[in-house]
Amino acid sequence: DFVDFDGNPNNDDTWICVEDLLCIYNFSANVTDPDVNDVLRFSYIFENTTLTNFSLNSSTGILEVNVTTNFDTGNKIIQLNVQDSESSPDSAKLRVRIDPVNDPPVFINLNKREFNESELFTYIINANDEEKDIPYKFNASFFSCILVTWSNRTNCELFNMLSFNETAGIINFTPTRYDVGTYVINFTVRDLNNTIQPYNASSSIFANFTVLNVNDAPFFTYICNNEIAGGGIENNPFACDINATDLDELFNLTFFSNQKWFLNNITQAVTGFNASIRISIIPGDSAVGNWSINISVKDTGNIDKNFQSSGKSIMINSSIINFFVDNRNDSVYLFLIQNIMAFQDTPYSIEIN
């Protein structure tokens, strides 16, 4: 016997379920017992059952079917059994039809990524599909981005995602210094050539990709170019300007030299990636002569993904200037002679320097 839903014995009643959706059948609704107070117990007969992925509540008669793969879909049967406390059991077969659903493909190895500017980045992204409806179509759409200050980008389109083979997509590009920043990307994979609805099913995942800064060295744009040509004169004021640029420095540059009397150590905040200092000295007697002075400038290090100075990978640039300090003849002078008390007819000796 089969369970009859509508009271018409001339048709085959079938309980219809759909893959990936919880399906509930109340067996007790098709059971009657003239003894009102009897307690009914529900079960099923394993040998006559082809249905899988189900549970049956022995007290309520609620049958829950939870099929999640195509393999378990199709026409199934479960032989249900009911018995009260005073009579022998009664059973009937329930026809169950589980309609398959085209499941979307899913990403296998897609995760957030961090990679350096100016270096080739290659990432093969794989996907899998229960129905194996290949080839899969991959797409990446850029939801938002936070870019570093020096970027000249006008949008967040970082790369194009291409097909690698029937089940994988590939990202293959070299980011520039203008791409430094964090990108929120919506990756989508879609199946094709389906025989089961819904056709061309797709799934999406958001992932963060970060292009990291690789620190560039600062460089000089002016080192006393005009002023140094005339040299300096002993005991006379001398002044000149030093300018430097660092295309990925957001904070400050530090200037120093191997001759502290000329330039000791000066840190200057950058404005528009440039920093300038002014040398102002009065060279003394010890500075007279020809000098090869090594002028250096250093940055604060690599900019991290939060656009703060990491203090790592500090870059230094140096340049040598030739500086002549001309001598000026110094006047002769006497050291102080102490006062003495002299007496008549007494010889004295006084040292004069």
Side-chain angles (χ1 to χ4, degrees):
D1 292 339
F2 289 89
V3 176
D4 185 9
F5 301 149
D6 57 9
N8 183 0
N10 296 320
N11 59 1
D12 295 333
D13 294 341
T14 301
W15 194 257
I16 299 176
C17 299
V18 178
E19 177 194 352
D20 296 329
L21 295 178
L22 181 64
C23 185
I24 298 176
Y25 167 67
N26 186 359
F27 181 29
S28 66
N30 290 103
V31 175
T32 58
D33 188 355
D35 301 319
V36 178
N37 295 324
D38 283 351
V39 177
L40 300 179
R41 303 296 294 177
F42 301 92
S43 61
Y44 72 97
I45 300 175
F46 177 80
E47 290 78 7
N48 297 328
T49 296
T50 59
L51 182 67
T52 59
N53 301 86
F54 69 89
S55 63
L56 176 64
N57 189 302
S58 61
S59 299
T60 64
I62 297 297
L63 174 67
E64 293 186 351
V65 181
N66 188 21
V67 170
T68 58
T69 63
N70 284 0
F71 180 79
D72 295 313
T73 61
N75 294 312
K76 308 292 182 180
I77 289 177
I78 178 173
Q79 185 156 1
L80 299 170
N81 196 60
V82 62
Q83 183 177 13
D84 62 19
S85 55
E86 299 177 352
S87 62
S88 59
D90 190 18
S91 67
K93 294 178 181 178
L94 174 68
R95 296 184 182 90
V96 180
R97 191 187 79 200
I98 305 170
D99 293 335
V101 171
N102 178 33
D103 296 286
V106 295
F107 291 102
I108 298 175
N109 63 331
L110 178 57
N111 297 293
K112 67 178 182 180
R113 284 290 186 269
E114 295 180 357
F115 45 93
N116 292 332
E117 59 154 296
S118 304
E119 296 178 9
L120 178 64
F121 174 71
T122 301
Y123 186 20
I124 297 174
I125 301 176
N126 297 294
N128 192 21
D129 183 31
E130 180 187 330
E131 295 81 18
K132 309 299 181 185
D133 293 329
I134 57 176
Y136 308 145
K137 183 176 178 59
F138 294 86
N139 184 62
S141 59
F142 295 84
F143 182 75
S144 65
C145 59
I146 301 175
L147 301 173
V148 75
T149 305
W150 61 76
S151 175
N152 61 1
R153 295 188 62 92
T154 58
N155 58 57
C156 298
E157 305 292 324
L158 183 60
F159 55 79
N160 291 320
M161 189 172 182
L162 303 175
S163 175
F164 181 70
N165 56 34
E166 290 185 330
T167 61
I170 185 171
I171 301 167
N172 190 60
F173 81 115
T174 301
T176 71
R177 60 184 301 271
Y178 300 108
D179 297 327
V180 171
T182 299
Y183 300 76
V184 179
I185 308 171
N186 184 19
F187 289 92
T188 302
V189 57
R190 185 185 308 277
D191 58 18
L192 301 173
N193 301 321
N194 315 117
T195 59
I196 304 172
Q197 292 184 345
Y199 301 130
N200 301 333
S202 65
S203 65
S204 298
I205 293 180
F206 282 90
N208 288 352
F209 276 34
T210 301
V211 179
L212 300 173
N213 169 241
V214 175
N215 193 24
D216 296 319
F219 58 91
F220 292 105
T221 56
Y222 189 87
I223 311 179
C224 302
N225 298 50
N226 296 325
E227 301 91 339
I228 209 74
I233 302 174
E234 176 190 357
N235 296 327
N236 285 353
F238 174 83
C240 70
D241 296 311
I242 299 177
N243 303 328
T245 297
D246 191 330
L247 297 177
D248 60 357
E249 177 59 53
L250 301 179
F251 301 99
N252 53 63
L253 294 175
T254 299
F255 299 84
F256 57 98
S257 78
N258 63 335
Q259 300 297 331
K260 297 186 185 301
W261 61 268
F262 186 84
L263 169 61
N264 189 359
N265 193 300
I266 300 176
T267 298
Q268 183 69 31
V270 299
T271 302
F273 311 111
N274 302 305
S276 299
I277 61 169
R278 185 165 182 79
I279 302 294
S280 184
I281 60 174
I282 300 177
D285 185 68
S286 61
V288 171
N290 280 308
W291 297 88
S292 291
I293 303 176
N294 188 4
I295 307 294
S296 300
V297 60
K298 68 177 180 179
D299 58 22
T300 60
N302 206 44
I303 303 300
D304 64 22
K305 62 183 178 181
N306 296 315
F307 306 143
Q308 299 298 314
S309 176
S310 67
K312 301 177 181 178
S313 302
I314 292 174
M315 301 294 288
I316 300 175
N317 209 339
S318 299
S319 183
I320 294 177
I321 62 171
N322 295 314
F323 183 49
F324 174 72
V325 178
D326 193 12
N327 179 61
R328 283 294 177 264
N329 190 29
D330 298 320
S331 61
V332 178
Y333 61 92
L334 291 175
F335 287 97
L336 179 66
I337 301 174
Q338 299 294 330
N339 295 331
I340 63 171
M341 183 178 291
F343 296 94
Q344 184 179 356
D345 300 324
T346 302
Y348 293 92
S349 177
I350 301 173
E351 185 177 349
I352 299 175
N353 295 312

